[in-house]
Amino acid sequence: MGGDKKYDLNYFLKGALAGGICCSVTHGALCPVDVVKTKIQLEPQTYNRGMIGGFKQLVEKEGMGALATGLGPTAVGYFVQGWFKFGGVEYFKINAAQTLGVEDAWKYRFPIYLGAAACAEFIADIFLCPLEATRIKLVANPSYASGLMSAFPKIIKDEGVIRGFYSGFGPICFKQIPYTMTKFAVQGVASEKIYLATGNDVKTASDGTKLSIALSSGVIAGVAAAIISHPADTLLSLVNKKGAGGDGSITSRLINLARETGFKKLCLTGLGARCVMIGSLTAGQFAIFDTVLAATGAQKFHFTEPKSVQA
């Protein structure tokens, strides 16, 4: 695992910065895809021609500028979320590994991935939820506000902080926590298998090899994570629509929306677009994270197989 001195507060801050940058850049770049995906989820009767058809419909109806709807809250929200998610995963993962020791850390590395990802994502979602709610409101109704700064006070005035910003906290946790757990665990497994299959060693591999493995394992992880988290993603888009699910508690509204939508539509509506988006997004995130972290001079933590330490 390396000496403890490498993994101090300075390392975790560098990991958080790399995480914020990779999430903000990738989510911002894919904002048009996210806008179309959200439209398909919110208005399936209108946007029913698939991803490409959805792009054409949206541009014809609202113009090219509509593809950038919600870009502000997307970029800011996912920088904050990436800061806590990637930084948090590194923090919880490394502390668990150091507590267990090399042998047990290797043995239990996948439960460590899962636990670290769950803890980090829960914290990140507290900060992400208001910005994601704002993004969805702007996509659902572009005339609601001109951008992030004007939307925030209007939402507080119209609906209050809890209903306006945290109606989707349940589904965002149900979406993001399984998504992040799958994302980091599957990427960890996939990268190990790819290194093994190609005969490369993470310690001696070239930067180009590391980048290609980060991209390929990221695609695999992203598609798996998209499928696991898609029903909650659909509910999150729906619950932020004004009046959706009735006027009861958040839980009752979610139950009503799930019944109205049906299990099949929850799982499949917009899934193709989301797999494309999350597969490419996750690949980009891991590649950018590794690149930025290396640029800061930090050496990324990797679980170490005990026999390689003994050798």
Side-chain angles (χ1 to χ4, degrees):
M1 290 185 294
D4 290 356
K5 291 182 180 178
K6 285 193 300 182
Y7 305 115
D8 54 9
L9 177 61
N10 188 43
Y11 173 83
F12 297 129
L13 288 174
K14 288 176 179 178
L17 176 63
I21 291 171
C22 78
C23 286
S24 182
V25 169
T26 51
H27 278 277
L30 286 169
C31 183
V33 179
D34 207 14
V35 170
V36 175
K37 183 267 299 180
T38 303
K39 286 286 190 182
I40 291 171
Q41 290 173 319
L42 292 175
E43 303 174 46
Q45 297 85 4
T46 302
Y47 293 90
N48 53 11
R49 302 178 192 171
M51 190 66 185
I52 303 300
F55 267 101
K56 292 178 180 177
Q57 284 180 279
L58 185 61
V59 171
E60 288 172 2
K61 187 177 179 181
E62 299 180 26
M64 285 293 292
L67 294 173
T69 304
L71 179 59
T74 296
V76 174
Y78 281 96
F79 179 87
V80 173
Q81 192 230 22
W83 176 281
F84 287 102
K85 175 159 68 176
F86 277 83
V89 167
E90 291 298 303
Y91 175 81
F92 290 117
K93 179 177 67 178
I94 290 169
N95 277 278
Q98 290 176 341
T99 300
L100 291 172
V102 174
E103 188 170 337
D104 283 343
W106 177 260
K107 183 179 179 181
Y108 298 110
R109 63 195 183 282
F110 300 123
I112 291 172
Y113 276 128
L114 293 170
C119 292
E121 186 59 55
F122 180 80
I123 295 168
D125 288 346
I126 295 170
F127 296 92
L128 173 66
C129 197
L131 291 147
E132 180 69 357
T134 304
R135 181 193 71 80
I136 291 172
K137 287 183 188 299
L138 290 175
V139 172
N141 180 12
S143 62
Y144 183 79
S146 59
L148 176 63
M149 299 308 293
S150 58
F152 252 59
K154 189 171 182 181
I155 291 170
I156 293 171
K157 181 181 177 182
D158 292 348
E159 302 180 48
V161 173
I162 300 300
R163 186 178 179 88
F165 292 133
Y166 286 97
S167 289
F169 186 67
I172 207 172
C173 284
F174 283 125
K175 177 187 87 167
Q176 288 294 135
I177 292 176
Y179 160 78
T180 301
M181 292 170 72
T182 305
K183 169 178 168 176
F184 281 94
V186 171
Q187 195 272 339
V189 174
S191 62
E192 274 186 26
K193 298 296 184 186
I194 295 170
Y195 273 111
L196 186 63
T198 57
N200 286 294
D201 186 325
V202 67
K203 296 177 183 176
T204 58
S206 67
D207 290 341
T209 298
K210 288 179 181 178
L211 183 62
S212 64
I213 291 175
L215 286 167
S216 52
S217 60
V219 169
I220 296 167
V223 172
I227 294 169
I228 290 290
S229 60
H230 190 66
D233 182 68
T234 304
L235 278 178
L236 177 63
S237 293
L238 292 171
V239 80
N240 281 292
K241 218 175 170 183
K242 190 171 183 178
D247 297 319
S249 66
I250 292 172
T251 302
S252 67
R253 290 172 63 205
L254 291 172
I255 292 171
N256 290 339
L257 285 169
R259 285 174 178 165
E260 291 168 10
T261 308
F263 181 74
K264 185 177 179 181
K265 287 185 178 180
L266 279 178
C267 293
L268 298 178
T269 301
L271 180 60
R274 191 156 188 266
C275 282
V276 171
M277 176 185 169
I278 300 299
S280 52
L281 179 146
T282 305
Q285 283 181 357
F286 282 109
I288 294 171
F289 177 80
D290 287 0
T291 302
V292 173
L293 191 63
T296 67
Q299 184 179 345
K300 188 179 179 182
F301 171 88
H302 292 282
F303 289 103
T304 306
E305 192 172 4
K307 65 182 181 183
S308 68
V309 174
Q310 293 168 4

